[in-house]
């Protein structure tokens, strides 16, 4: 496929205001892609070169892209920068300056998608001395041989600013529509995605082997599995009731979730977002080599600094901060991390996901029986609410976050939030039982004292999985430090869009829309019903439409943005409705 064709379809995608239209456009593009090309188109549309777990980064800074535009168009660096300041979008800058280029066009033949992708891959892989100049040269060549519209996307792609608003579920639905003409294959495609986390591979497999090849896919080492997630309930009774009367109850550690993949002496570690974080944890690698003797295994746990002498857990934020300050090596010696393992997904040559929890856990405990740094989470099995509560209180007293209960009979449900895992946390006293994670979909300008920051708050949304849409739930105007306001404004300015993105459902109009990318954690007093927000919005008997909103929302956390969550991993509409139900029950009890 010619890159010009893809650029045209991106431009149309950017302009659509309905999700269905988006799927239709995307399906059309995917259908037209040739063999070996569909994965490249999928990755490009996601704004990446490969799935995040491959750890490939473009390594292109804004200044480099600006310089490449200058080289390719004959404008000075100053001119490019001024133009960029005006539009705030390097894509538009590239498009404009390419069309007004002062140089004779070097365009001999047009680029294919593969040529653009392969060049971007070379840009990403170029490192070491002289790499900056080499990257600028490659980018400049691409700009010089592109049309203005192509230049727009060539500039945005390596900067992570495509602004297409296409999510994983959107791509899966387009693939399903390509295969069956509708949503019929979506569940199977999603199941395959949940065990390999690689949409490009899914697309290639679909093209080469059809749906039978998709359903035959299985877990493999070094391809991370999308994590199982937990639901929440406020009391021991309700939790046990949901678990059919008996459950395993584990300590809940506030650490860093790690998925460990081991084959012989080769080990890779993946974060909750499935990024390769192997380099960050040499101590966990060493401990795995020393203590886990299975040849091939995938297991999961929470890494946390634990002082064996004082039996104290260190808040993970602190560990990470100190790690940064003193460098990884010193930190390892001073404060080795422990990995509290809680699940087993693969062993020998066998996929363990379908085994019931009790079998997986038994095997995990056998494997880690002699573990010192890598050990199973502390757990009990109980059918008594009283025992569950006592275990919870003890966990809190030890400085932990709470507990995780697990259904003894349930498989490992990759990539989904189900009641087979239920969490109970400390942060609960009449207030909302937990914080919520909201996607920023827009922001407001500052007024009064905030005017100097040109930032007056965020428009936050939750994710409705069923609709694959972001529904607004709150305006967030407090809890920000001055530094956070400046940082947020800078980040959001880079992802501004002209009109409401197709996958955002909103009644409130912010001063600026941004495409759904960043997640923030918010605390609120309660969830209320509201006519101004679209979260869970439903027609009432009196004919009015009412959704859910947060009362007294405030930003929490030192760093404003949650780096470990993508837009689709924000709190869901379903969770908000459940939390509202729980809140009502608690309210009744307390009154
Ligand atoms: P989530 O990960 O569910 O989206 P979150 O990031 O806000 O939500 P929490 O609500 O704190 O996190 O709880 C879930 C996380 O708890 C898991 O993702 C995992 O990292 C961590 N965790 C700690 N101990 C355990 C345990 N024993 N079993 C499973 N997960 C655990």
């Amino acid at each position: 496929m010619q890159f010009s064709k893809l650029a045209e379809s991106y431009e149309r995608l950017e302009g659509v205001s309905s999700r269905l239209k988006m799927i239709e456009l995307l399906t059309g593009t995917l259908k037209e892609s040739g063999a070996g090309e569909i994965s490249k188109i999928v990755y490009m549309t996601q704004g990446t070169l490969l799935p995040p777990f491959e750890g490939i980064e473009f390594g292109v800074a804004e200044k480099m892209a600006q310089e490449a535009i200058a080289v390719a168009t004959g404008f000075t660096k100053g001119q490019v920068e001024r133009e960029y300041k005006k539009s705030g979008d390097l894509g538009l800058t590239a498009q404009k300056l390419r069309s007004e280029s002062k140089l004779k066009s070097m365009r001999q033949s047009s680029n294919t998608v593969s040529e653009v992708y392969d060049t971007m891959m070379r840009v990403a892989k170029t490192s070491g001395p002289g790499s900056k100049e080499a990257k600028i040269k490659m980018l400049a060549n691409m700009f010089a041989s592109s049309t203005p519209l192509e230049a727009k996307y060539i500039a945005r792609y390596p900067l992570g600013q495509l602004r297409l608003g296409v999510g994983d579920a959107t791509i899966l639905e387009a693939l399903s529509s390509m295969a069956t003409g509708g949503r019929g294959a979506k569940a199977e495609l999603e199941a395959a995605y949940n065990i390999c986390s690689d949409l490009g591979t899914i697309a290639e497999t679909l093209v080469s082997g059809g749906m039978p090849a998709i359903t035959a896919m299985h877990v493999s080492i070094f391809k991370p599995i999308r994590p199982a997630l937990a639901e929440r309930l406020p009391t021991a009774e309700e939790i046990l009731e949901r678990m059919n009367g008996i459950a395993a109850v584990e300590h809940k550690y506030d650490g860093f979730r790690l998925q460990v993949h081991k084959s012989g002496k080769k080990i890779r570690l993946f974060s909750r977002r499935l990024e390769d974080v192997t380099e960050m944890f040499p101590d966990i690698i060493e401990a795995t080599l020393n203590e886990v003797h299975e040849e091939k295994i995938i297991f999961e746990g929470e890494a946390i600094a634990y002082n064996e002498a004082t039996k104290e857990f260190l808040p993970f934020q602190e560990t990470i901060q100190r790690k940064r300050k003193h460098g990884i090596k010193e930190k390892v010696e001073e404060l080795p991390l422990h990995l509290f393992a809680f699940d087993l997904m693969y062993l020998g040559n066998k996929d363990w996901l379908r085994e019931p929890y009790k079998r997986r856990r038994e095997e995990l405990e056998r494997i880690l029986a002699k573990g010192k740094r890598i050990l199973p989470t502390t757990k009990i099995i109980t059918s008594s609410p009283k025992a569950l509560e006592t275990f919870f209180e003890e966990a809190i007293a030890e400085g932990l976050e709470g507990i995780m209960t697990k259904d003894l009979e349930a498989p490992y449900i990759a990539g989904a939030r189900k009641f087979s895992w239920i969490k109970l946390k400390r942060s609960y006293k009449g207030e909302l039982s937990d914080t919520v994670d909201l996607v920023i979909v827009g922001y407001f300008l500052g007024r009064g004292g905030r005017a100097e920051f040109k930032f007056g708050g965020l428009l936050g949304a939750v994710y409705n999985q069923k609709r694959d849409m972001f529904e607004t739930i709150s305006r967030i105007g407090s809890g920000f430090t001055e530094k956070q306001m400046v940082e947020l404004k800078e980040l959001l300015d880079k992802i501004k869009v002209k009109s409401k993105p197709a996958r955002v459902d909103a009644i409130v109009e912010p001063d600026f829309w941004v495409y759904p990318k960043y997640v923030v954690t918010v605390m609120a007093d309660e969830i209320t019903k509201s006519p101004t927000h679209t979260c869970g919005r439903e027609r009432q008997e009196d004919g009015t439409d009412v959704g859910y909103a947060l009362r007294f929302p405030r930003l929490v956390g030192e760093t404003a943005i949650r780096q470990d969550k993508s837009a689709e991993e924000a709190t869901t509409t379903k969770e908000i409705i459940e939390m509202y139900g729980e809140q009502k029950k608690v309210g009744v009890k307390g009154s």
Side-chain angles (χ1 to χ4, degrees):
M1 185 189 289
Q2 294 300 313
F3 185 66
S4 57
K5 187 144 198 188
L6 189 61
E8 274 166 33
S9 108
Y10 282 171
E11 173 139 284
R12 263 180 283 147
L13 263 180
E14 248 188 276
V16 296
S17 57
S18 102
R19 180 177 176 275
L20 280 182
K21 188 83 199 138
M22 196 174 210
I23 307 265
E24 198 184 304
L25 267 169
L26 207 53
T27 308
T29 309
L30 294 175
K31 269 188 185 160
E32 283 180 45
S33 55
E37 205 176 43
I38 192 163
S39 54
K40 294 177 181 173
I41 292 181
V42 166
Y43 296 136
M44 274 186 164
T45 309
Q46 290 183 292
T48 60
L49 282 164
L50 285 174
F53 63 83
E54 295 288 357
I56 294 264
E57 294 199 6
F58 288 96
V60 174
E62 269 179 12
K63 283 268 178 247
M64 283 158 72
Q66 286 178 24
E67 205 168 325
I69 296 171
V71 173
T73 57
F75 287 94
T76 64
K77 276 194 259 179
Q79 285 169 317
V80 177
E81 200 173 336
R82 271 196 294 284
E83 189 54 43
Y84 174 44
K85 282 231 167 84
K86 246 195 272 165
S87 70
D89 175 348
L90 208 58
L92 294 179
T93 305
Q95 184 174 22
K96 179 161 187 278
L97 299 184
R98 183 69 193 85
S99 69
E100 296 166 4
S101 178
K102 293 179 180 244
L103 304 176
K104 219 170 93 224
S105 174
M106 283 159 54
R107 184 177 166 91
Q108 276 136 20
S109 63
S110 52
N111 294 310
T112 62
V113 166
S114 285
E115 279 162 354
V116 172
Y117 177 89
D118 295 346
T119 311
M120 287 293 185
M121 187 62 103
R122 273 202 300 283
V123 168
K125 287 192 169 160
T126 304
S127 62
S131 62
K132 188 176 154 212
E133 291 68 28
K135 283 178 192 245
I136 293 174
K137 199 165 164 214
M138 284 187 265
L139 287 172
N141 283 342
M142 256 194 298
F143 281 125
S145 64
S146 67
T147 62
L149 186 63
E150 288 172 48
K152 173 175 167 186
Y153 295 102
I154 288 174
R156 283 182 182 177
Y157 179 33
L159 297 175
Q161 294 168 14
L162 272 184
R163 310 179 198 216
L164 300 177
V166 173
D168 294 355
T170 330
I171 294 179
L172 284 168
E173 198 162 326
L175 287 171
S176 167
S177 157
M178 180 180 96
T180 64
R183 304 182 72 182
K186 197 177 165 210
E188 280 154 312
L189 286 162
E190 202 173 305
Y193 177 47
N194 284 338
I195 57 168
C196 75
S197 314
D198 181 347
L199 284 176
T201 298
I202 297 282
E204 283 304 340
T205 309
L206 182 62
V207 168
S208 59
M211 284 310 289
I214 292 288
T215 41
M217 284 177 74
H218 48 78
V219 170
S220 49
I221 294 196
F222 304 132
K223 288 235 175 209
I225 299 158
R226 300 188 66 227
L229 301 173
E231 285 280 359
R232 54 193 126 202
L233 282 175
T235 64
E237 283 85 5
E238 280 168 277
I239 293 176
L240 284 172
E241 205 179 298
R242 260 329 268 243
M243 297 270 172
N244 297 320
I246 184 161
V249 190
E250 299 180 15
H251 277 170
K252 182 174 188 306
Y253 308 80
D254 182 15
F256 193 100
R257 188 170 185 162
L258 285 180
Q259 204 178 103
V260 184
H261 289 231
K262 174 179 184 286
S263 174
K265 294 219 168 330
K266 193 173 166 208
I267 296 170
R268 285 177 83 176
L269 305 176
F270 300 103
S271 69
R272 186 191 179 290
R273 276 193 85 170
L274 310 181
E275 281 158 343
D276 189 331
V277 288
T278 310
E279 303 296 321
M280 266 177 77
F281 297 97
D283 35 359
I284 300 288
I285 300 285
E286 192 191 310
T288 308
L289 285 171
N290 289 339
E291 298 176 14
V292 183
H293 303 295
E294 311 297 320
E295 184 65 16
K296 289 187 173 182
I297 184 169
I298 304 178
F299 66 98
E300 194 177 31
E302 195 83 358
I304 188 165
Y306 177 54
N307 188 330
E308 277 169 70
T310 60
K311 302 248 175 298
E312 244 182 317
F313 292 96
L314 274 98
F316 195 70
Q317 273 301 343
E318 207 178 299
T319 316
I320 285 285
Q321 265 164 20
R322 279 207 242 160
K323 224 173 183 175
R324 266 192 217 121
K325 251 191 233 156
H326 305 302
I328 290 179
K329 196 149 172 280
E330 288 80 353
K331 185 80 246 148
V332 170
E333 282 153 21
E334 180 199 335
L335 196 80
L337 292 175
H338 287 63
L339 184 74
F340 290 92
F342 52 75
D343 225 312
L344 172 73
M345 292 101 126
Y346 187 93
L347 184 62
N349 283 315
K350 190 177 152 228
D351 181 337
W352 274 67
L353 297 187
R354 287 197 185 83
E355 294 291 331
Y357 166 88
K358 58 182 185 209
R359 276 284 298 125
R360 302 198 308 277
R361 176 76 197 196
E362 224 173 67
E363 196 64 12
L364 191 68
E365 285 178 10
R366 181 193 63 76
I367 294 165
L368 301 178
K370 293 202 180 110
K372 289 197 171 61
R373 289 276 161 74
I374 306 200
L375 48 166
T377 52
T378 305
K379 80 146 206 316
I380 56 165
I381 291 179
T382 186
S383 53
S384 145
K386 188 87 202 69
L388 195 153
E389 251 161 49
T390 309
F391 190 69
F392 173 75
E393 296 300 339
E394 282 166 5
I396 299 295
E398 277 185 49
L400 293 163
E401 238 193 344
I403 49 146
M404 272 280 189
T405 42
K406 301 188 175 170
D407 182 341
L408 295 169
E409 306 301 329
Y412 184 96
I413 310 176
R417 192 178 298 282
K418 298 276 174 195
F419 280 98
S420 50
W421 284 17
I422 304 176
K423 58 192 172 192
L424 184 62
K425 290 211 263 189
R426 177 180 41 187
S427 56
Y428 162 60
K429 263 273 173 283
E431 283 190 335
L432 202 62
S433 57
D434 204 349
T435 52
V436 289
D437 297 320
L438 305 184
V439 191
I440 307 172
V441 295
Y443 74 87
F444 299 91
L445 290 176
R447 288 176 239 294
R450 294 262 181 95
E452 63 174 300
F453 298 109
K454 294 202 169 58
F455 176 82
L458 305 169
L459 180 59
V462 289
Y463 181 53
N464 185 325
Q465 269 175 321
K466 258 209 185 119
R467 299 175 64 207
D468 184 26
M469 293 282 285
F470 297 99
E471 302 174 338
T472 75
I473 184 165
S474 186
R475 217 182 134 138
I476 310 136
S478 64
F480 305 98
T481 61
E482 291 186 0
K483 188 164 157 262
Q484 283 175 333
M485 284 196 259
V486 173
E487 275 170 14
L488 277 167
K489 167 97 170 58
E490 207 179 297
L491 275 177
L492 298 177
D493 276 347
K494 290 196 166 58
I495 55 166
K496 270 199 278 197
V497 284
K498 272 193 233 116
S499 53
K500 186 171 67 59
R503 289 198 301 139
V504 173
D505 189 3
I507 304 163
V508 179
E509 281 260 339
D511 290 315
F512 292 104
W513 293 105
V514 297
Y515 85 87
K517 174 171 179 165
Y518 295 118
V519 174
V520 288
T521 299
V522 170
M523 178 61 103
D525 280 6
E526 61 174 332
I527 300 171
T528 55
K529 295 252 183 168
S530 149
T532 45
H533 288 287
T534 52
C535 166
R537 193 169 156 85
E538 258 182 358
R539 178 83 18 118
Q540 309 295 298
E541 278 172 10
D542 63 2
T544 55
D545 291 325
V546 175
Y548 295 87
L550 299 180
R551 203 161 88 94
F552 296 135
R554 54 217 177 256
L555 189 83
V556 293
E558 263 173 62
T559 48
I561 302 293
R562 275 200 70 151
Q563 304 290 358
D564 64 336
K565 286 203 170 179
S566 67
E568 281 82 4
E569 281 164 334
T571 300
T572 60
T573 303
K574 186 169 157 267
E575 284 179 275
I576 293 289
I577 297 172
E578 282 163 6
M579 286 164 93
Y580 180 77
E582 295 309 333
Q583 178 188 289
K584 262 188 20 194
K585 270 192 232 159
V586 174
V588 172
K589 269 188 215 154
S591 62

